[in-house]
Amino acid sequence: MQHFISVIRYLTIAYLFFSILSCGRSSQKNQDHEVFRYNHFENVSSLDPAFARDVPNIWSTNQLFNGLVQLDDSLHIIPDIAKRWEISEDGLQYTFFLRNDVKFHKHSKFDTKDSTRLVVAQDFVYSFDRLVDPNVASPGNWVLKNVKGYKAIHDTIFKINLKKPFPAFLGLMSMRYCSVVPKEVVDFYGNQFRSNPVGTGPFKFKLWEENIKLVFRKNELYFEKDSKGNPLPYLEAVAVTFLPDKQSEFLQFAQGKLDLLNSLDASYKDELLTPTGKLRKKYQDKIHISKGPYLNSEYLGFYLDTEKDEIKSELLRKAINHGFDREKMITYLKNGIGTPAVHGFIPKGIPGFANIQGYEYSPEKARMYIKKYIKQTGNKNPTIRIATDSNYQSICEFIQRELEKVGLTIIVDVMPPSTIRKKKWSGELEAFRASWIADYPDAENFLSPYYSKNHTPNGPNYTHFKNETFDRLYEESFLITNAGTRERHYAKMDSIIMANAPIVPLYYDEVVRFTQKNVKGLTNNPQNFLILKRVWKEKTAK
């Protein structure tokens, strides 16, 4: 096995070397500080933004494409290709005024002398048409479900009309699904646009050997500049590898062959970090660690449309919420990474998080609820099965041990992630470990999984929670234009979820990134997107 890993490592380094040479550099002398290297242990499935559904695809397409708007590191919506916009008083019409200096990456299918052309409003009409085209079958078509229509008024004016007000709409437009793509290039490649992407982003496509290597080069036509007027990006290239083994990824990073380590796997977390989440002394001079809020709530969910008494019982669901120490769980199983979820489902880092009262650790209350359940039902051995994948097995087994102490039997079923996803949608799991990661920067995104009209398989309400007051507040929130008032509505809804306990919030996740000391300008953001256009690397002594 060790020999196999060594061979993989050797091939990866070889590919890295030859890929950089293939980028047309005549000398390797000063290349290291011009190339940013990272690894994805999951493979990229498409470089087409219409399929930017998961992290590897989103990270890659972030470098290649732009949309109407973008988010800064604090999740404020700022201009991108649209330099400004206007929203009608009724919240139904959005008018975007586009820049007139954004060019597509060069390609022979542009019938111009310099093999490129300017982006115009009609390109967004085409890109949105393609997003909702059933023949394309984009998983992002839901982004436009509330859109009544859109049109190009002028080369630099693009107008969108909504069916009903939706205050989070601008945030949706920042998603990579809504990137602009050129019709002539997409028509030429058809389905193979996935591996021949042409966009407007800070980097342009160079090479993709699937599951092995991905290389981007600097886009010399990129329109954005830094605060001093210097053109972006600073880097000459981005090189991505796809080592599937996290231990091998860590070894590559520890040897300085990767610039970024974006995961904290159980196989090496204790090697890197102390139990309190600090870098161990041996790495402090070599590695930089940065942390920040991540819009991800980790939780246990209960499928409420069940005949199983234990799941239908609010008493037992509350007992589980009170029955384990989240602080202890984070300290010993997560090396201090994450915030114990003792409030609601809405995580820290997003407007709408309101420090509402959740469930504190109280074995006494847990025992009381369990005894009350046994007295009411006569069931002296209540049992609940929780489905999880292997990455979260230790957390579920910790909860299992803690709840056994207060009289509740927990069975932990370990399954592949794909099996859990399928069974969640079909209602085949009585309880399950899950994550909810924000698609867009509005707390409404964390409340939609509890709206009754979103019951699976028609939406993301995996628990089949239903509450009339919650539904009324949720529908009212779309008509509220004042952000503060809307956030108070969100807090009320979050409190209703906690009071009824269809879930057990575990922790609010954190973005944790490890970089080499010479990496500069890489910032965290609560959606854990990789933004490389302002990153540079200091030269290091050889």
Side-chain angles (χ1 to χ4, degrees), residues 41-104:
F41 57 88
E42 296 173 294
N43 295 317
V44 168
S45 62
S46 176
L47 296 172
D48 181 341
F51 295 88
R53 183 177 189 170
D54 51 20
V55 171
N57 291 15
I58 292 170
W59 275 28
S60 300
T61 52
N62 262 346
Q63 318 312 324
L64 299 171
F65 296 93
N66 296 86
L68 291 165
V69 297
Q70 59 184 318
L71 302 174
D72 66 13
D73 289 338
S74 300
L75 301 184
H76 298 126
I77 297 162
I78 60 175
D80 199 359
I81 293 178
K83 58 186 178 182
R84 64 182 182 90
W85 51 87
E86 294 175 357
I87 305 172
S88 62
E89 284 190 19
D90 60 9
L92 293 175
Q93 189 174 89
Y94 289 69
T95 304
F96 296 91
F97 300 88
L98 310 186
R99 299 177 65 119
N100 61 2
D101 59 349
V102 180
K103 291 183 176 181
F104 286 110

Side-chain angles (χ1 to χ4, degrees), residues 294 397 522:
Y294 183 19
E397 288 176 346
L522 183 64

